[in-house]
Amino acid sequence: MSGETSSSLASPAAVAVPFKPPVVRRGLSAIVINHPTFVVGLAILTVVFVLALTADILYPGDPMDMVGPPLLWPFQDMEYPLGTDSLGRDVAAGLVYGARVSLIIGFSAASIGLLIGTLVGAIGGFFGGLIDNALARLTELFQTVPTFLLVIVIVAIGEPSLPVMALAIGIASWPTIARLVRAQFRSLRQQDFVMAARSLGYSNTRIIFMEILPNALPPVVVTASVMVAGAILTETGLSFLNMGDPNLVSWGSMIGGGREMLRTAWYLTALPGIATALTVLALNLIGDGLNEIFNPRMRQR
Amino acid sequence: MTAPASSAPARSEPHAGNRLLDVRDLCVAFPGHLAVRGISFHIDRGETLALVGESGCGKSATSLAVMRLLPPGARIAGAVTFDGIDLVQANERTLRDLRGKRMGLILQEPMTSLNPVLTIGDQIAENLMRHEKLTRAQARARTVELLDLVRIPDPARRYDDYPHNMSGGMRQRVMIAMAVACNPQLLIADEPTTALDVTLQSEVLELLDSLRRQLDMALLLITHDLGVVAQWADRVAVMYAGNIVEKAGAHALFENPAHPYSRGLMGSTLRLEGGGHYTSQRLTEIPGTVASALHEPGCNFAPRCALATADCRIAPPPLRPFEGRQVACPVVTQPSKEADRVAAGR
Amino acid sequence: MTIEVRAQARQPGRSRTQTGLKTTLAALALCATALSTTAFSGTARAETATMVMATEPPTLVSLTNVATTALGVSAKVTEGLLEYDENLNPKPQLAIAWEVSPDGLTYTFKLRDGVRWHDGKPFTADDVAYSLNLLKKVHPRGRTTFANVTSIDTPDPQTVVLHLSKPAPYLLKAFAAAETPIIAKHIYENTDPASNPNGNAPIGTGPFKFKEWSRGNYIAYERNDDYWGKPDPKIDQLVVKFIPDAAARSIAFESGGVDFGYRTPVALSDLERLKKLPNLKFETKGAAYSSNVTRLEFNLDNPYFKDHKVREAVARALDRKVIVNTIHYGAAIPTSSPIAPGLKAFHDPAPSPYTYDIKAANKLLDEAGYAPKEGKTRFHVTLDYNPITTEGRRLAEYIRASLSRIGIAVDLRAQDISAFVKRIYTDRDFDFTVNGASNLFDPTVGVQRLYWSKSFVKGVPFSNSTHYSNPEVDQLLEQAAVENDPVKRKEQFRKFQEIVGRDIPDLNLVQPVFLTVHNTKVHDLVTTADGVEGNLAHVEIK
Amino acid sequence: MRLLSRTGRSLRRTLIQAVPTVIGIVILNFLLLQLVPGDAADVIAGESGSATVESMAALRKQFGLDQPVLVQLLSYLNHLAHFSLGFSPRYNMPVGELIMARLPYTLMLMACAFTLSLVVGIACGALMAAFARRWPDRAMSLVVLVLYSAPGFWVGLMMIVLFSVHLGWLPSGGAITIGANLGFWDAVGDQLAHLVLPSFSLACFFIAVYARLTRSAMLEVERQDFVRTAQAKGLTPFTIQIRHVLRNALIPVTTVAGLHLGNMLGGAIVVETVFGWPGMGRLALDAVMARDFSVLLGVLLLSSFVVIFANVLIDLLHAWLDPRIEAE
């Protein structure tokens, strides 16, 4: 009991509270301080985005052009700070253009997956009964077939180019979203606000898209970032097996190209690998951050 | 409902030997909320002290602070001496040896305070084996005895049941068995019957009290139900917004509540003996809410208190002796006509 | 009295958890490493030679399927009549003597006596006759190689006589084990040769007997104790191991996991580094039997490449020196002749009339009427490349970069081997393509199929993909196919190379040099023209 | 006893559910594969580097490619009805036999990778939960995230360089040291040595998944009341974390564990290529390249069975872990 001794009626403060209770911050500063990982993730992703957008300005030439002597080590010749590959192509240009390809594939594949997954999940979850059962079987079917093999078959059907790869990865990755959305819809369907909407005579489609979907979105948004990360990893896997688009430099094709020189020029594999890992890491951090922001219960810890 | 068998002797000089738990100026703060604002009380061996107050007044925080089980974000200050050991300064090892062995805890929600994937017998035996160094077989036998002690039918078979196989009342009995397993000196029951329906409540409380006598345990009973206090507590401490506003013998408090808040509480409880019918007797309400009074400099209750004067708003009133009890209200403890009038008017 | 505030921030009793879990994790890591180090130091092995290959062969006998991987393993068990030295001069194997009649219409072979099949049955002339007749019917090249053979008879168990309708000067060089496997009549008679189980567990006369094939993993052969070529073979067991990844193969050579490999088993980029290692040797001999040529084939029905000027411009835009050094890291010989330098007897070293000259190439394209639009691009074309070798893709990328310098924008198109073959040879849906073709042991068998107008057949891979037809070339090829006099034949092929060199229906760029890499403890590995594709009878581990 | 009856019931239920899924897989993939350009005959000709009209026709007949698609599908389905996966003309042996030679390797790799990812994942998750919000938790979360983000084959390649080339501790690829005719135990040790790198490379993604899952599950459980009861019993934190918190956190982890098997099998393809591991993944890849659809369908079917069967096992583990389920 720190502070004054007891005295007359004026009486001491019952007890001066010896410490200041920890303050809870609100608003933007709260997000920054409570979720450092989210901010770091966002920062890395913005850097990668800026690089991808300004690729033309940074390296105007064609990244696949053979501009320098082959197999230069990074910082060996300052004109090519990150060195050149076995054909004398500038690795730095490759990484920058690779960022563009990887992001395009990542986001387009994820959006295809999201679209199909949300539709299947919503319809299945909302209507239930036979439709739900059939769609659940379909989701399960796609889930048991090894996803990567499905992607390979689809890419073998179409010619290995950017759109075909994005479609293939999208088609192979929708089940995860479908399961999630279906679960959300099945629980949200019984909520009162749906009864209310029905009583107002809204059509089913309006209820699905205007009423239930907005409520089902938070977990979907969180999984979306993970799906983009997964799509980028799958693309690197495809390019590694020489199934990538030959007209485009992508991180996967750089890893694949550098694979043979693993013993000598290991930087050719290491640099794109690190670039991929960093971007995917950023997306995962954002996913985690979103999860914490949307999920207030976690914040009190 | 019978009156409590005997109320503890009126405030008497605390003789150290009999003193079990002595709390001095206890403060507990959670991030952004000061739950307990410097309270002091004590419990003697074999005595039941009730901590009563509305929800949010910090009584649960106090019980957890005593056993040092507050969640990580919380801060604690003051002195909590249990049988000569200062729990605030004690290190983890000593605390762990105390918990379960010399202090038992009973939580409020029987549905969630038992591990759903372990049998109830194992969960009790776990406590025995931790402190009593018994073999598995001895612990099992002792547990069956304990289950029988808390009047659970066919204890040998029920040993291997899971919590979800039992009713709320049964589960609370298991909690009690678990808490008293090692014959602790102090039992802390945090609203033990709030989640049960009325018939079960008295059964469980009666069991709790008989065990207390049998095993000569002190009981810190935390509740918001004045009926429970009247019937089972020896002494009572009334808490309001993190402070103890009145400490008195249970009998004395019900006879003549001194602090305006105590009086308000008493007023807003249905009294059967008075014979009053709801049509004739209006229950008095205490205006305002707890939150609104929280940040006042002086006495927290001032904004809602009928007797509030200028003095009340200067500094938080200390507990002062008054008619054989302790009251934290300058108006009540100062012999002035106006106070008597109000008191008589009740 | 000040009360020192003890932060409750730590959940009570944390320190004990940290130590408890930490110890278990450390223990886990410890036992994992201990386990691996002890197991890996295997005990001494019986004398085993381990050969490495990138992919698994579809069959172990090169009868109906002559994939390069099948050629690599077939001869160890199934031998041929002859074997050849570096200059393709025949040496005895199952046949100890051979004679060709002056008019080139009768071939007589004297067979080795006392030779037994691995299942103990005697090897006789009937087996040889049956084999040659079967090869003519089912072997992918059998039809052309034995086209002129009308009948085969066996006067006695040790003699085989072939009768031909027309002379076949190349025929005597066709009897290597992998190219013309001699199989047992009693095993293949009235069975479907393609699905005969012998393909997966072969019985032959060779120095090694088949022991075990663990799919995707390895093939194990054991020593044939009563082999006719005693004291060969000098090793107890031959193992063929499959490692698909080039970097992993380099590591296997370095760490001694494998003893030898052929057709440049390691990544070209690793050559320079591996050559410095004391325990590895590099052999250029042993690839004479099938020299490959890497080519850029134009589709002459394509509007652009129909025009000779455009083809010449492309020819002048490609620098063979860069292809040799950058694409093949020096392991290739520049050539502009349709006949590979490897076929020394027929190769015409005369240089191509179209030397590397970017300015001339641009002028040609202007003359051809393709002025560059908005600054740079004259026109767009798509380049397909054969996906089997990694060099194919890198060459395609070089061509794309080079042609962009003369205003031709090239889009690459990737696909796997099946889609590639269908697009080029069945659908003919291509502008130009990077492809490789083996000249085999004689131009008539290996080169004629690429330039002979009659061999332009839709759906038949590695035929005349350019759709080239030049009556004078046809006549020269048809004469050389039956010309007995070697001097005249050489002149006919020289003239053929000169015309094709001028017409350039396709650009022959380089002949990749196939290196055989082996550990220094491996001796007498390459003793014949087909090198490691031979029966490895003389191999020794010292 | 409870588990036994439960096995029967869940096995029956899954098998009944599995039949339509399997039929669906066969038909979906069979039709999908008809769209792939080129066929098996083109592949063999492409590999041989030469062919004649007759040899191509003979190959097409041998592969049964000259019949209409529907006939091919029906013949495949009737093969299936007789529990045979058909005959692979390219490898000249029954598909069943071909796959059975590769199945043990894939099962070994999958089992090893799956257990490794579960054990290490849960251990890391528990450690991170134990140190929640302090530097060990932050550090391990970062390491786990890097594992989660880096491409599996890239990690594999880097490990080969480190462990096999520089340190020489582990073999760089393949399944066993051939021809070393080791004693039984040496052979097992040798097999394990070959298994370490590929299974870790395949598992590293899933270690991250399970670690993050366990961590959030444990943090969730720690807020439950019964943890406070356990603490009130004065149990050591280690006992509380393991007996009470982890034991309950395993339930949500096992439910999700089954979902990842599908793409673990997919990931195996790339890992098998990097390590030259003779598994079904690479066989499937080669089958796509070789347009040998009977082998590809065989692999798809068997991998679906592996996934379905594994889910049954996980369902059992789930029931064992959570007594409340049995009360359904």
Side-chain angles (χ1 to χ4, degrees):
Chain A
M1 189 177 66
S2 68
E4 321 81 334
T5 57
S6 66
S7 63
S8 66
L9 182 64
S11 81
V15 61
V17 178
F19 51 74
K20 217 161 76 38
V23 173
V24 178
R25 294 171 195 80
R26 288 280 175 276
L28 192 61
S29 64
I31 292 184
V32 169
I33 291 152
N34 286 345
H35 310 293
T37 51
F38 175 73
V39 171
V40 166
L42 209 59
I44 300 175
L45 198 63
T46 2
V47 165
V48 175
F49 251 99
V50 163
L51 278 178
L53 290 181
T54 58
D56 298 340
I57 307 147
L58 290 172
Y59 293 95
D62 168 5
M64 298 184 76
D65 201 357
M66 300 155 79
V67 287
L71 293 178
L72 280 176
W73 270 79
F75 308 113
Q76 188 180 345
D77 168 352
M78 284 330 277
E79 201 193 339
Y80 308 104
L82 294 180
T84 59
D85 72 358
S86 57
L87 287 170
R89 291 177 294 199
D90 184 353
V91 172
L95 283 180
V96 166
Y97 279 88
R100 179 178 290 185
V101 168
S102 291
L103 287 181
I104 291 173
I105 285 203
F107 281 95
S108 46
S111 32
I112 295 172
L114 274 177
L115 199 66
I116 307 173
T118 318
L119 271 181
V120 168
I123 294 165
F126 183 74
F127 291 108
L130 205 59
I131 309 170
D132 180 29
N133 211 329
L135 288 178
R137 281 289 79 66
L138 187 67
T139 321
E140 200 183 285
L141 184 135
F142 267 82
Q143 196 108 29
T144 31
V145 172
T147 37
F148 198 72
L149 207 52
L150 198 60
V151 170
I152 289 172
V153 168
I154 297 173
V155 167
I157 291 174
E159 169 215 331
S161 65
L162 201 65
V164 169
M165 279 207 288
L167 185 71
I169 299 172
I171 286 178
S173 60
W174 61 265
T176 24
I177 283 288
R179 291 178 81 99
L180 196 72
V181 170
R182 178 165 168 270
Q184 285 281 18
F185 264 72
R186 277 159 71 98
S187 66
L188 289 172
R189 189 176 53 176
Q190 278 104 19
Q191 302 268 339
D192 304 341
F193 71 90
V194 174
M195 292 307 156
R198 264 216 192 91
S199 63
L200 292 172
Y202 289 164
S203 69
N204 278 344
T205 36
R206 181 185 161 103
I207 293 176
I208 291 178
F209 292 105
M210 304 303 288
E211 304 295 330
I212 301 181
L213 200 53
N215 290 296
L217 274 187
V220 171
V221 168
V222 171
T223 332
S225 73
V226 175
M227 274 184 74
V228 175
I232 293 179
L233 283 178
T234 318
E235 185 269 331
T236 40
L238 273 177
S239 312
F240 179 73
L241 295 175
N242 282 331
M243 286 185 199
D245 183 335
N247 296 307
L248 292 173
V249 180
S250 85
W251 288 337
S253 64
M254 289 174 83
I255 295 179
R259 192 176 92 182
E260 280 177 5
M261 287 134 258
L262 197 60
R263 294 287 295 100
T264 51
W266 52 266
Y267 66 93
L268 284 175
T269 325
L271 288 177
I274 292 170
T276 318
L278 263 180
T279 314
V280 171
L281 181 70
L283 284 164
N284 287 326
L285 290 178
I286 291 173
D288 285 0
L290 285 177
N291 198 4
E292 274 181 19
I293 292 170
F294 279 123
N295 190 346
R297 223 156 27 99
M298 293 292 284
R299 213 171 359 178
Q300 273 149 10
R301 288 298 296 166
Chain B
M1 270 197 318
T2 57
S6 72
S7 69
R11 179 93 331 272
S12 59
E13 205 36 52
H15 20 77
N18 199 3
R19 177 58 43 82
L20 184 61
L21 178 72
D22 188 2
V23 174
R24 283 272 164 61
D25 303 323
L26 176 67
C27 290
V28 175
F30 293 103
H33 166 56
L34 187 55
V36 179
R37 297 157 180 273
I39 58 172
S40 307
F41 61 91
H42 73 274
I43 304 177
D44 296 336
R45 292 183 207 286
E47 183 194 31
T48 298
L49 170 72
L51 265 183
V52 69
E54 295 164 75
S55 58
C57 70
K59 54 186 186 303
S60 286
T62 309
S63 67
L64 292 178
V66 164
M67 279 194 90
R68 296 290 312 285
L69 285 177
L70 288 165
R75 286 262 185 80
I76 177 170
V80 177
T81 326
F82 173 77
D83 203 9
I85 309 163
D86 181 352
L87 298 185
V88 174
Q89 308 299 344
N91 64 33
E92 289 312 320
R93 175 170 292 283
T94 25
L95 281 175
R96 271 206 305 278
D97 292 343
L98 278 179
R99 291 194 202 111
K101 179 152 181 51
R102 300 180 59 193
M103 285 199 286
L105 176 69
I106 300 170
L107 289 173
Q108 170 180 348
E109 191 45 65
M111 303 303 284
T112 59
S113 28
L114 285 175
N115 185 338
V117 293
L118 292 180
T119 64
I120 56 147
D122 285 346
Q123 295 189 47
I124 298 173
E126 191 179 30
N127 195 358
L128 288 166
M129 284 194 284
R130 164 75 176 79
H131 293 295
E132 310 282 335
K133 298 288 175 284
L134 299 175
T135 66
R136 187 165 282 282
Q138 286 166 336
R140 184 178 177 106
R142 179 84 177 88
T143 304
V144 172
E145 275 166 33
L146 278 165
L147 287 176
D148 188 41
L149 182 68
V150 292
R151 303 193 194 111
I152 288 184
D154 191 357
R157 192 173 58 76
R158 297 308 289 256
Y159 181 98
D160 296 317
D161 274 0
Y162 285 95
H164 62 269
N165 304 129
M166 306 179 93
S167 67
M170 281 295 181
R171 269 188 256 193
Q172 199 64 335
R173 289 169 194 277
V174 169
M175 279 294 290
I176 293 170
M178 196 187 296
V180 302
C182 303
N183 218 321
Q185 291 163 306
L186 170 66
L187 193 59
I188 300 177
D190 184 352
E191 312 228 15
T193 55
T194 310
L196 305 178
D197 53 35
V198 180
T199 51
L200 275 175
Q201 266 186 9
S202 56
E203 233 176 84
V204 167
L205 285 168
E206 194 279 327
L207 169 65
L208 207 55
D209 197 63
S210 72
L211 280 176
R212 186 176 66 77
R213 288 177 203 297
Q214 243 175 302
L215 305 171
D216 185 23
M217 289 187 299
L219 175 62
L220 173 60
L221 183 60
I222 287 137
T223 178
H224 62 276
D225 181 342
L226 289 174
V228 166
V229 173
Q231 196 174 359
W232 303 104
D234 299 331
R235 282 190 308 108
V236 183
V238 178
M239 278 189 77
Y240 177 76
N243 290 100
I244 290 184
V245 292
E246 180 165 0
K247 281 193 282 191
H251 196 64
L253 180 70
F254 278 88
E255 274 313 310
N256 168 19
H259 193 281
Y261 176 66
S262 312
R263 261 193 243 121
L265 271 185
M266 291 304 164
S268 60
T269 331
L270 203 57
R271 303 292 295 272
L272 292 185
E273 313 88 275
H277 188 270
Y278 75 90
T279 51
S280 61
Q281 198 184 19
R282 264 183 47 71
L283 292 181
T284 56
E285 270 175 45
I286 306 173
T289 63
V290 178
S292 63
L294 214 49
H295 302 299
E296 290 306 315
C299 161
N300 291 335
F301 188 62
R304 308 173 66 190
C305 173
L307 313 176
T309 64
D311 290 353
C312 299
R313 296 181 194 278
I314 303 160
L319 281 164
R320 303 172 64 78
F322 170 76
E323 285 177 8
R325 69 191 77 190
Q326 300 256 335
V327 183
C329 171
V331 173
V332 166
T333 50
Q334 192 206 17
S336 70
K337 279 176 269 347
E338 175 226 359
D340 294 349
R341 186 180 52 69
V342 167
R346 183 181 54 75
Chain C
M1 177 185 78
T2 58
I3 301 164
E4 175 257 323
V5 177
R6 271 170 54 78
Q8 259 287 336
R10 278 162 20 110
Q11 181 71 14
R14 263 312 149 99
S15 55
R16 291 280 288 282
T17 335
Q18 296 152 357
T19 41
L21 289 179
K22 232 182 283 179
T23 38
T24 33
L25 260 186
L28 253 177
L30 204 65
C31 76
T33 37
L35 181 81
S36 59
T37 37
T38 50
F40 185 53
S41 57
T43 53
R45 290 172 295 194
E47 220 39 272
T48 302
T50 312
M51 169 174 159
V52 68
M53 286 173 83
T55 49
E56 191 172 21
T59 167
L60 301 188
V61 178
S62 50
L63 184 63
T64 58
N65 181 335
V66 287
T68 42
T69 47
L71 297 177
V73 290
S74 178
K76 286 37 176 192
V77 171
T78 322
E79 291 182 309
L81 291 181
L82 302 171
E83 52 187 49
Y84 303 86
D85 64 15
E86 268 305 300
N87 306 316
L88 294 183
N89 302 324
K91 289 193 312 183
Q93 193 168 78
L94 285 177
I96 47 174
W98 54 90
E99 188 211 342
V100 179
S101 62
D103 61 6
L105 296 180
T106 328
Y107 287 67
T108 318
F109 291 94
K110 273 276 173 279
L111 300 180
R112 195 176 293 277
D113 193 359
V115 175
R116 293 196 162 290
W117 294 98
H118 291 163
D119 59 4
K121 294 210 168 49
F123 160 73
T124 65
D126 291 346
D127 294 317
V128 175
Y130 179 81
S131 299
L132 297 182
N133 282 319
L134 185 64
L135 283 167
K136 180 170 181 179
K137 226 170 358 69
V138 298
H139 189 281
R141 291 190 282 269
R143 178 159 306 292
T144 42
T145 317
F146 299 100
N148 306 345
V149 175
T150 49
S151 69
I152 306 168
D153 49 31
T154 56
D156 65 56
Q158 255 63 48
T159 316
V160 178
V161 179
L162 277 69
H163 300 287
L164 282 76
S165 55
K166 288 180 286 184
Y170 51 84
L171 187 56
L172 195 61
K173 287 180 269 188
F175 291 100
E179 183 62 23
T180 314
I182 304 299
I183 40 145
K185 178 175 179 183
H186 62 276
I187 287 179
Y188 275 88
E189 206 163 17
N190 40 53
T191 67
D192 165 17
S195 58
N196 187 310
N198 186 58
N200 289 345
I203 289 174
T205 58
F208 296 98
K209 283 195 285 192
F210 171 76
K211 180 176 163 198
E212 181 200 6
W213 182 358
S214 159
R215 290 287 170 163
N217 200 355
Y218 63 87
I219 311 169
Y221 297 96
E222 63 190 350
R223 189 175 187 281
N224 172 9
D225 293 336
D226 50 20
Y227 177 52
W228 50 266
K230 277 195 190 44
D232 290 341
K234 301 185 183 67
I235 53 173
D236 301 324
Q237 186 176 245
L238 169 67
V239 168
V240 180
K241 197 172 174 186
F242 309 122
I243 305 180
D245 178 49
R249 285 195 298 273
S250 304
I251 292 164
F253 271 107
E254 266 180 281
S255 56
V258 291
D259 299 326
F260 62 93
Y262 76 114
R263 288 176 81 98
T264 317
V266 289
L268 287 174
S269 52
D270 257 351
L271 277 184
E272 199 186 313
R273 185 178 57 77
L274 290 174
K275 279 186 174 157
K276 298 198 196 77
L277 296 179
N279 63 338
L280 290 182
K281 269 215 170 36
F282 295 79
E283 184 72 60
T284 49
K285 291 213 293 297
Y289 197 71
S290 67
S291 14
N292 256 21
V293 184
T294 307
R295 307 142 40 73
L296 177 60
E297 296 167 359
F298 298 111
N299 180 353
L300 298 180
D301 305 331
N302 175 287
Y304 300 111
F305 296 123
K306 178 153 80 275
D307 181 341
H308 186 279
K309 280 193 168 46
V310 173
R311 295 206 302 276
E312 189 187 331
V314 171
R316 289 187 181 282
L318 299 179
D319 182 353
R320 285 181 174 71
K321 275 200 303 309
V322 170
I323 296 175
V324 166
N325 300 326
T326 314
I327 310 298
H328 289 272
Y329 295 87
I333 306 162
T335 170
S336 54
S337 144
I339 297 180
L343 285 176
K344 302 185 193 64
F346 302 100
H347 173 67
D348 170 9
S352 156
Y354 312 118
T355 53
Y356 176 65
D357 179 350
I358 296 286
K359 267 204 300 312
N362 277 314
K363 196 159 68 59
L364 277 164
L365 287 174
D366 295 338
E367 283 160 20
Y370 299 106
K373 297 190 226 33
E374 353 91 23
K376 208 163 177 319
T377 315
R378 300 172 185 276
F379 52 84
H380 270 269
V381 278
T382 307
L383 173 61
D384 294 282
Y385 57 89
N386 187 321
I388 280 205
T389 63
T390 48
E391 283 69 37
R393 171 164 181 158
R394 287 154 51 83
L395 179 57
E397 281 168 358
Y398 166 68
I399 291 171
R400 170 196 156 103
S402 317
L403 295 192
S404 68
R405 285 183 176 66
I406 57 169
I408 301 178
V410 174
D411 284 335
L412 301 185
R413 178 165 42 208
Q415 62 238 304
D416 58 22
I417 184 68
S418 170
F420 173 78
V421 164
K422 181 166 186 297
R423 176 186 296 281
I424 306 294
Y425 296 103
T426 311
D427 306 343
R428 293 198 60 68
D429 162 22
F430 74 104
D431 300 340
F432 62 150
T433 171
V434 165
N435 207 347
S438 166
N439 280 193
L440 297 170
F441 45 88
D442 186 278
T444 301
V445 181
V447 177
Q448 175 174 329
R449 57 185 176 160
L450 302 174
Y451 296 95
W452 193 30
S453 57
K454 292 189 187 61
S455 81
F456 170 71
V457 180
K458 278 208 174 135
V460 175
F462 298 96
S463 53
N464 179 345
S465 62
T466 54
H467 197 180
Y468 175 61
S469 80
N470 176 328
E472 195 185 349
V473 162
D474 288 352
Q475 195 202 358
L476 279 169
L477 287 174
E478 279 147 18
Q479 279 168 0
V482 290
E483 178 51 62
N484 241 337
D485 171 357
V487 173
K488 270 212 199 83
R489 195 160 187 254
K490 191 171 178 1
E491 175 47 27
Q492 283 158 354
F493 278 125
R494 194 201 58 70
K495 199 146 183 24
F496 154 73
Q497 288 173 69
E498 190 200 319
I499 299 168
V500 166
R502 214 177 41 255
D503 285 352
I504 47 169
D506 53 33
L507 295 177
N508 293 286
L509 299 169
V510 288
Q511 174 189 331
V513 168
F514 288 137
L515 292 171
T516 300
V517 182
H518 64 85
N519 198 300
T520 40
K521 62 179 181 175
V522 179
H523 300 280
D524 300 336
L525 180 63
V526 176
T527 54
T528 60
D530 50 8
V532 171
E533 281 182 0
N535 63 10
L536 299 183
H538 316 302
V539 169
E540 195 171 0
I541 302 277
K542 281 215 279 299
Chain D
M1 236 326 280
R2 176 172 71 84
L3 272 185
L4 228 58
S5 65
R6 210 190 134 64
T7 341
R9 209 158 359 97
S10 76
L11 213 58
R12 241 191 338 279
R13 185 161 44 81
T14 332
L15 281 184
I16 296 161
Q17 257 174 0
V19 169
T21 322
V22 165
I23 304 285
I25 288 175
V26 168
I27 294 174
L28 170 79
N29 287 298
F30 196 91
L31 298 180
L32 214 60
L33 295 174
Q34 298 311 320
L35 304 172
V36 181
D39 62 19
D42 292 325
V43 174
I44 293 190
E47 281 172 348
S48 310
S50 56
T52 59
V53 176
E54 297 74 14
S55 73
M56 293 295 279
L59 279 174
R60 288 222 162 82
K61 196 167 70 55
Q62 183 197 346
F63 277 74
L65 296 172
D66 42 13
Q67 294 149 350
V69 175
L70 204 57
V71 170
Q72 288 179 34
L73 177 61
L74 291 179
S75 82
Y76 187 78
L77 285 179
N78 108 51
H79 272 305
L80 213 57
H82 301 89
F83 294 104
S84 110
L85 292 170
F87 187 79
S88 153
R90 173 176 172 74
Y91 295 104
N92 191 9
M93 61 192 284
V95 172
E97 208 181 295
L98 184 63
I99 293 180
M100 279 315 154
R102 300 291 191 91
L103 188 60
Y105 287 105
T106 294
L107 287 184
M108 221 192 301
L109 179 62
M110 287 280 289
C112 215
F114 192 61
T115 10
L116 192 67
S117 47
L118 267 183
V119 167
V120 174
I122 289 174
C124 291
L127 252 178
M128 291 194 316
F131 290 83
R133 295 250 167 284
R134 284 191 307 290
W135 68 267
D137 174 32
R138 291 257 183 267
M140 287 187 72
S141 302
L142 205 62
V143 168
V144 157
L145 262 182
V146 167
L147 273 183
Y148 192 56
S149 320
F153 58 88
W154 182 69
V155 170
L157 285 174
M158 294 295 159
M159 281 195 302
I160 290 181
V161 172
L162 179 62
F163 288 108
S164 175
V165 177
H166 290 311
L167 301 174
W169 288 352
L170 293 169
S172 65
I176 51 171
T177 318
I178 306 140
N181 41 46
L182 309 156
F184 174 72
W185 280 113
D186 289 349
V188 167
D190 178 64
Q191 180 86 68
L192 281 179
H194 282 83
L195 202 54
V196 171
L197 285 187
S199 53
F200 183 75
S201 169
L202 180 59
C204 69
F205 176 79
F206 299 98
I207 286 176
V209 167
Y210 294 134
R212 285 153 55 91
L213 215 57
T214 315
R215 176 178 184 275
S216 56
M218 282 184 82
L219 289 184
E220 192 65 34
V221 167
E222 261 173 17
R223 269 207 304 285
Q224 304 290 337
D225 288 343
F226 64 80
V227 172
R228 180 158 290 154
T229 323
Q231 284 162 351
K233 287 192 262 189
L235 300 174
T236 61
F238 182 74
T239 336
I240 295 175
Q241 288 290 347
I242 302 298
R243 243 170 88 85
H244 289 273
V245 180
L246 185 59
R247 188 73 170 61
N248 277 281
L250 285 182
I251 295 167
V253 171
T254 42
T255 36
V256 176
L259 298 183
H260 291 287
L261 278 166
N263 45 36
M264 179 179 265
L265 212 52
I269 293 177
V270 188
V271 165
E272 284 172 11
T273 314
V274 169
F275 288 95
W277 187 260
M280 270 199 318
R282 207 149 59 82
L283 176 64
L285 192 63
D286 299 344
V288 171
M289 297 298 174
R291 297 297 189 273
D292 192 338
F293 299 143
S294 47
V295 170
L296 184 61
L297 284 175
V299 169
L300 283 177
L301 270 181
L302 272 179
S303 45
S304 317
F305 274 130
V306 165
V307 171
I308 290 170
F309 185 69
N311 276 326
V312 165
L313 287 185
I314 287 167
D315 187 27
L316 284 184
L317 178 67
H318 193 210
W320 176 70
L321 277 174
D322 187 350
R324 286 168 292 191
I325 288 185
E326 192 257 343
E328 253 160 40

